[in-house]
Each structure stands twice: as C-alpha cells, then as structure tokens.
C-alpha cells in the first residue's frame, strides 16, 4: 500500500503552505487536489492582483478576525506576514505595500504568487495529484487517522499516511473547488460544525433606489448599520450600488455582522452618509452658501455641485423637491430634506447574496476542537486542520490569506514534528 508521511487534502493556499513546511522538515508529502490545478481561488484573489497579506501588528490582526481570533496567537508567532513576504521574495516575487498595510505582488499578478508557492513545494519534492477528490478518512484499529480514500478519474484509491491535514477551504466561490467537503470529512470523524454562512458578501435591499443607482461607485462615504432602530457600527470608505442592493469594500466588511443579524430575524437598515466630512452645521452652511451663490439657478443645476449625475433623479424623487425651483426659492424644510438625503440615504436590508458571491465563509470547525499550538484535532489522532475550513474569518485587507498561511505552516510543521522530523 502506498504511504506518505503527510497527506494534505486540498491544494489551496493553506494546503500548499502546509506542504512546503512539512517537506522542508524532511517529511514525504502528498497533496490531493480535486480540481485540475492547484490554487484556483488564489488566482482570483484581490481581483486577480492578490492582496497577499497585511503589515498590521499581530495585536491589530486580532481586531480584524472573528470569532476567536486569539486562537491564532501561536500560529501567527510561528509564521506571520513578514515570513510569507520572505518566502515569496525567495521565489522571485517582489511585493509592494499599499494603503492600509495591504501587500500586493509588484507585478499585480496573483498567478505569480501561486507559481512561487508551487515552485517552493516542487523544490521540496512535494507530490501533487490533481482530479483527486478525497472521499473518506481511513482509520487504524485505535481509531486514529492513518490515510484517506480518494477518487481519481472514476477510480477509488487508498493512500496511507502518518497524518492527514484537512485544507479544503470553506463554501464560498464553490466553482474554485471549495464546496464544503472538509466539513463532511470532519463530521465523519466526530467534529461538530459551527453553522456556515456567507461573509464578506453583498447585501440585498428593498426598494428600487439601489437598482436605479446600479454601477455607481462612491468613495469616501460612510455606511451605518442600524439593527432594530439602534446604531450598531459604521464603516468609512468605498461602496458600490448593484441591481440587487449594496456591495463594495465597506459593505462587505459590515456584511459579516448584518448576515448574522438577518439570520437572527432582526430588522436591519443601512444608511449611507454621502458627506461624512461635514457635520450637520457645516453641511447646513455649505448648502446655504451654494443656494445663495446660485440663487437664480435651478436647483436641478445646483444639485450637480453636490452629487454624481446618476444620483440626481433619485435625489429629486426622494426629497420631493421641484427641480425647476431656483436656489432662492428653496425653503428651510426642503433644505432639511436635502440634508437628510445627504446624511442618511437609507436602505432596508432584506437578505444577502449566496456563497457563490461571498469572499469568505464564516463558521466551520470550531477552534475549541483544535489544538492552537499544533492545529491537531482534539478529537482524533493524526488529523490536522488549516485555512478557511476552521471557524475563523477576517475582514478584507489580506487577513484571510494570512490565516491560511499561518495555520497551514503550523499544521505542516506539527505533523512533521510528530513524525520525528526536526527543524
Ligand atoms: C473573490 C475572492 C477574492 C479574495 N481575495 C482575497 C485577498 O485579496 N486577500 C485575502 O487575504 N483573501 C482573499 N480571499 C480569501 C482567500 O482566498 C481564502 O481565505 C483562502 O483562499 C483560503 O485558503 P484555503 O487554503 O483555506 O482554501 P482554498 O483556497 O479554498 O483551497 C481549498 C482547496 O481544497 C480543495 N478541495 C476541497 N475539497 C476537496 C476534496 N474533497 N479533495 C481534494 N481537494 C479538495 C479545493 O479544490 C481547493 O483547491 C478572497 C476570496 C475570494 C472568493
């Protein structure tokens, strides 16, 4: 029977990094990947540019990751952002840091990042088998994992190993191969699964406004989340209107909470502050000034000073102001309605998009069932976890890939150590 020291289920980022580490320490490693190539998801990260990691400090990372970010303390201290940057550099990928500590390849090509990691794995003699879908875990008489069964071109095969690392990802963008198999494998071994749901996902809203504004992207706006009438949180930055509702970076970030609020049957509104730099007073002064300066112009023309063109028809419908009125004819009541539109353009959230459009999956294998010092299952011997399959998810900004590298590196290292290999 064929045997490897380590079998890795899934050739995504976490699996490949785990393979690099275990093989570097001397272990023989087989990666089984069900797609025809490795790292399909990595190729589409950062809109094809790959936001590799973030240069924030470890303690800052904990603010961007849920639900139990401190679980990652050891994994981060073992392999962090500087380490992945160094690994990529060693394999020919130069990186650049952008706004908010986001790190990208200088070439702006996610494919360069994948190639570098694959080159590292190949240099260490990692074997990768494609079209190889792991179907089952294999146990010895003591109920310890000792290999897997997988299907390849319609044939069932078995391979034995000292340990198995589950790196199957979550459920998001299932066309990239991550469609939830890891949960089934873990459940079969007795693990529980924290309910999985889409995170970093666009939101669907009631009414026609978003649809009328579809395609419009706004920078420097503030989105405020209201749950059952109470202000919950806010995000400042860029957003996008779509035919079904709201998307773009700040909406994806708040979606992590909104999805749970909706699932818990709360009423959720999101109000957009189009002029976050101006408080009520300053905004009022600005409006008074504009209306006075252009007192003989139609408000239809004055509005062009305030909004992108696409918003203007919506503005008139929502404020019920006659566009033919001139600046000097605008009443104080109408000015209040203008301010309201600018500061609180409100949408009722009716739902969220599916896993097909979710950047990340929330939920998965509970961290309480995994040893944070090794990534080994606390329930079954010789079985490890890494990456998005674990119940951890981060904001946009490079945090999710860093979770995958750090947990992958630690899982690979722990397997090799457990088998007697030394650094
Ligand atoms: C559109 C998009 C953009 C993103 N951009 C960024 C970004 O710029 N920066 C960032 O930090 N994060 C980003 N992310 C998130 C990031 O890509 C993931 O967090 C990361 O890829 C998770 O790595 P993973 O190895 O856990 O899972 P994956 O990368 O999903 O890999 C899992 C692998 O396991 C394989 N597999 C599954 N089941 C089996 C099975 N039964 N047998 C064999 N193989 C199996 C799959 O085919 C897949 O190749 C983005 C995600 C998406 C969807």
């Amino acid at each position: 029977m064929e045997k490897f020291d380590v079998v890795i289920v899934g050739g995504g980022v976490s699996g490949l990094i785990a393979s690099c580490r275990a093989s570097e320490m001397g272990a023989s490693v087989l990666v089984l990947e069900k797609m025809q190539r490795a790292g399909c998801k990595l190729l589409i990260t950062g809109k094809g540019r790959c936001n590799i990691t973030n240069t924030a400090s470890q303690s800052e990372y904990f603010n961007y990751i849920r639900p139990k970010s401190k679980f990652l303390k050891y994994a981060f201290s073992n392999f962090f952002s500087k380490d992945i940057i160094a690994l990529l550099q060693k394999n020919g990928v130069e990186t650049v840091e952008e706004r908010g500590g986001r790190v990208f390849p200088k070439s702006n090509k996610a494919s360069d990042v994948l190639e570098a990691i694959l080159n590292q794995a190949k240099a260490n003699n990692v074997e990768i088998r494609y079209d190889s879908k792991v179907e089952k875990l294999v146990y010895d008489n003591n109920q310890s994992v000792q290999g897997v069964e997988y299907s390849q071109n319609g044939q069932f095969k078995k391979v034995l190993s000292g340990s198995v690392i589950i790196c199957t990802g979550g459920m998001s963008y299932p066309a990239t191969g991550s469609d939830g198999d890891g949960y089934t494998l873990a459940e079969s071994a007795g693990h529980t699964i924290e309910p999985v749901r889409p995170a970093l996902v666009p939101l669907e809203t009631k009414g026609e406004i978003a649809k009328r504004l579809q395609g419009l992207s706004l920078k420097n706006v503030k989105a405020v989340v209201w749950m059952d009438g109470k202000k919950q949180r806010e995000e400042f930055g860029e957003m996008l209107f779509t035919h079904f509702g709201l998307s773009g970076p700040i909406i994806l970030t708040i979606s992590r909470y909104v999805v749970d609020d909706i699932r818990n049957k709360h009423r959720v509104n999101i109000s957009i502050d189009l002029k976050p730099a101006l408080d009520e007073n300053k905004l009022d002064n600005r409006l008074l000034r504009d209306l006075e300066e252009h007192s003989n112009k139609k408000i239809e023309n004055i509005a062009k000073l305030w909004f992108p063109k696409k918003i203007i028809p919506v503005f008139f419908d929502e404020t019920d102001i006659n566009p033919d009125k001139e600046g000097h004819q605008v009443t104080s009541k109408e000015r209040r309605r203008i301010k309201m539109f600018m500061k609180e353009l409100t949408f009722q959230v009716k739902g969220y998009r599916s896993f097909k459009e979710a950047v990340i999956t929330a939920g998965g294998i509970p961290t309480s069932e995994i040893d944070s010092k090794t990534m080994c299952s606390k329930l079954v011997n010789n079985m490890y976890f890494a990456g998005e399959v674990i119940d951890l998810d981060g904001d946009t900004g490079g945090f999710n890939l860093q979770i995958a590298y750090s947990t992958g590196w630690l899982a690979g290292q722990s397997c090799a150590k457990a088998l007697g290999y030394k650094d």
Side-chain angles (χ1 to χ4, degrees), residues 10 12-14 33-34 45-46 51 134 169 173 177 181 359-360 388 398 401:
V13 191
S14 60
E33 167 55 53
K34 74 173 172 195
T45 53
N51 180 185
V134 172
Y173 277 68
D181 284 353
V359 173
I360 199 95
E388 203 175 318
L401 281 174

Side-chain angles (χ1 to χ4, degrees), residues 117-171:
I117 298 174
L118 280 169
N119 281 346
Q120 180 68 62
K122 272 182 211 148
N124 296 0
N125 294 320
V126 170
E127 184 174 340
I128 307 179
R129 285 182 200 158
Y130 300 104
D131 276 323
S132 301
K133 179 176 187 256
V134 172
E135 310 272 358
K136 251 171 111 177
L137 297 166
V138 174
Y139 298 90
D140 64 14
N141 294 337
N142 300 321
Q143 290 306 304
S144 299
V145 171
Q146 63 157 8
V148 299
E149 274 180 28
Y150 67 101
S151 55
Q152 194 183 40
N153 305 324
Q155 278 191 322
F156 273 85
K157 300 181 176 179
K158 191 169 167 176
V159 58
L160 297 180
S161 62
S163 43
V164 171
I165 314 180
I166 309 287
C167 300
T168 43
M171 297 270 286

